[in-house]
Amino acid sequence: MDTYLIRDFVSYLRLERGLARHTVAAYKSDLEKFCAFLQERYGTAEPQKVGRDDLIAFIGSIHQERLTERTQARLLSALRAFYKFLRIEGRIETDPVELIDSPKIGIYLPVVLSIGEVEALLKSVDLSHPQGHRNRAILEMLYGCGMRVSELTHLRISDLFFQEEFIRIRGKGSKQRLAPVGGQAIRAVELWMEQRRLMSVAKTGEDIVFLNRRGAPLTREMVFLMVREQALLAGISKTISPHTLRHSFASHLLENGADLRIIQQLLGHESILTTEIYTHLDAAKWQAAILEHHPRRG
């Protein structure tokens, strides 16, 4: 199994889900147990290619080991979390755990920010701070272009075409897409680039837009922590991550009448089914509004 996949999953559990350290360690151990099962069964551990029958076989092997009900429940919980992560990251189109009748898994509705909360988040950045312009530019790009955090950390200077008002995004599986970029995001990046030119840049960061204090490329963990810190400073009570800004980008486009197919292209989703989650989110908002204002709501 790709060690980067496990590392990214662990980061997701710690930073986005906010799980306790011992829970993260248990989930990691459970995932390694699942991969060992796949390795023994098929000679290779590729959980991205797993189907319903494979999961049922694994669950059956758990029963044969006479594990406690609590341990079995945690193993299933770890698998749900892992495939939810793969779905969010765009690494799979369908979640095989959803095909298992018991326990039933509901529709995942992502957390999104209101436009006012996005504005508060952007205004919370202290531009007098040495890294202020970088952090403001990161937030503008995440929200303005709907980028994944991994796409942002790999964004290159040679991917910026600001005169034409678009950028090139290098997505999953070396796939590339073009995304329009607005004036506010462009200005924020240009202000950061002025600061960047004064830095001593490491060889690994020469063509990378966003760098740490040492002039090396940012890690996704650093971006997660920055977003969390800015949310606290902005007074946002929701638990958010860089992916929340991607969700907010898509949700706000849909609310303002953008075609779902266009949103699919902007997000880099291979399947329209992945993008359709935002229609569920939009419907949930309408339902809440109706219930709030209906005279018989009580």
Side-chain angles (χ1 to χ4, degrees), residues 127-273:
L127 296 180
S128 66
H129 189 273
Q131 303 300 319
H133 284 294
R134 182 202 66 187
N135 294 348
R136 176 66 180 263
I138 287 172
L139 294 173
E140 290 279 9
M141 293 296 282
L142 287 171
Y143 176 65
C145 300
M147 306 174 73
R148 300 180 178 95
V149 64
S150 56
E151 294 169 346
L152 177 122
T153 56
H154 289 90
L155 185 66
R156 303 178 187 180
I157 297 173
S158 53
D159 292 328
L160 307 178
F161 301 91
F162 284 165
Q163 287 190 338
E164 294 82 6
E165 297 185 331
F166 73 87
I167 62 171
R168 177 172 52 210
I169 298 176
R170 301 170 188 271
K172 301 293 181 183
S174 301
K175 293 181 180 178
Q176 299 181 13
R177 66 184 187 276
L178 300 179
V181 57
Q184 294 188 58
I186 289 174
R187 285 190 291 274
V189 174
E190 288 176 341
L191 287 171
W192 155 240
M193 294 300 290
E194 290 177 12
Q195 300 291 323
R196 187 188 180 284
R197 293 185 189 100
L198 304 176
M199 296 175 60
S200 176
V201 178
K203 189 171 183 179
T204 55
E206 289 177 352
D207 194 31
I208 300 297
V209 175
F210 296 111
L211 306 175
N212 61 26
R213 291 186 179 89
R214 298 182 300 278
L218 284 174
T219 64
R220 56 185 287 142
E221 288 82 3
M222 293 176 69
V223 180
F224 267 95
L225 292 172
M226 182 275 288
V227 170
R228 283 279 172 86
E229 181 180 350
Q230 293 303 147
L232 289 174
L233 292 172
I236 297 171
S237 59
K238 299 171 182 174
T239 301
I240 73 167
S241 70
H243 223 81
T244 307
L245 291 166
R246 176 173 161 89
H247 291 318
S248 303
F249 162 84
S251 180
H252 295 165
L253 284 177
L254 188 64
E255 288 175 13
N256 285 283
D259 184 85
L260 199 63
R261 290 285 181 185
I262 293 175
I263 298 174
Q264 176 192 1
Q265 293 175 12
L266 293 174
L267 294 175
H269 288 163
E270 289 190 9
S271 170
I272 192 67
L273 297 176

Side-chain angles (χ1 to χ4, degrees), residues 12 17 32 38 40 51 54 58-59 75 77-78 82 93 117 127 180 188 190 261 266 273 276 280:
Y12 162 78
R17 291 282 301 276
E32 289 171 345
L38 295 177
E40 182 179 349
D54 303 311
F58 177 63
I59 292 168
L75 277 162
S77 182
F82 178 63
E93 292 185 12
E117 287 172 327
L127 296 180
E190 288 176 341
R261 290 285 181 185
L266 293 174
L273 297 176
E276 282 181 349
H280 293 291

Side-chain angles (χ1 to χ4, degrees), residues 34 55 58 74-84 97:
F34 177 52
L55 287 169
F58 177 63
R74 193 199 65 214
L75 277 162
L76 290 174
S77 182
L79 288 175
R80 290 190 208 107
F82 178 63
Y83 282 101
K84 174 181 173 182
V97 184

